[in-house]
Amino acid sequence: MILQKNINPDHTARYLVLLNHDDATRALLFAKDHRYLAEVIDDDGLVVDNLMRAGTRCVPPREVAEQTRATSPVKLMCFALDTEH
């Protein structure tokens, strides 16, 4: 028997944002209300690859894009994550 956990929707990622700096890529997670949740730490890239495959490429919401601004130029990619399952 598999017990289903109670999932708090306030802490469920809705957007995966990839920031491609010249020397590294950062993967950030944002909630449905555009709050920053966490940075994905992924040694082999498997977690980020799976999230990208599960998501749908999208234009980042303005509030998300504003939170990811950096002093150096970055390339930004956003994926909407399906949270209905």
Side-chain angles (χ1 to χ4, degrees):
M1 175 202 246
I2 298 175
L3 298 175
Q4 187 171 2
K5 295 181 181 181
N6 291 330
I7 298 174
N8 183 344
D10 291 339
H11 303 295
T12 301
R14 178 66 173 107
Y15 299 100
L16 167 69
V17 175
L18 301 179
L19 301 173
N20 293 316
H21 294 275
D22 291 333
D23 57 345
T25 299
R26 294 178 64 201
L28 309 176
L29 297 174
F30 290 86
K32 185 176 183 177
D33 62 0
H34 308 141
R35 284 177 300 112
Y36 170 77
L37 294 175
E39 182 167 356
V40 179
I41 306 299
D42 189 10
D43 293 332
D44 61 4
L46 186 60
V47 171
V48 172
D49 286 343
N50 285 333
L51 286 171
M52 288 171 60
R53 274 195 285 277
T56 303
R57 185 92 187 261
C58 66
V59 175
R62 182 180 48 82
E63 296 87 352
V64 169
E66 287 174 355
Q67 292 180 62
T68 59
R69 274 190 274 175
T71 56
S72 61
V74 297
K75 295 175 186 166
L76 186 138
M77 289 192 329
C78 184
F79 295 85
L81 303 175
D82 181 15
T83 58
E84 300 302 318
H85 295 106

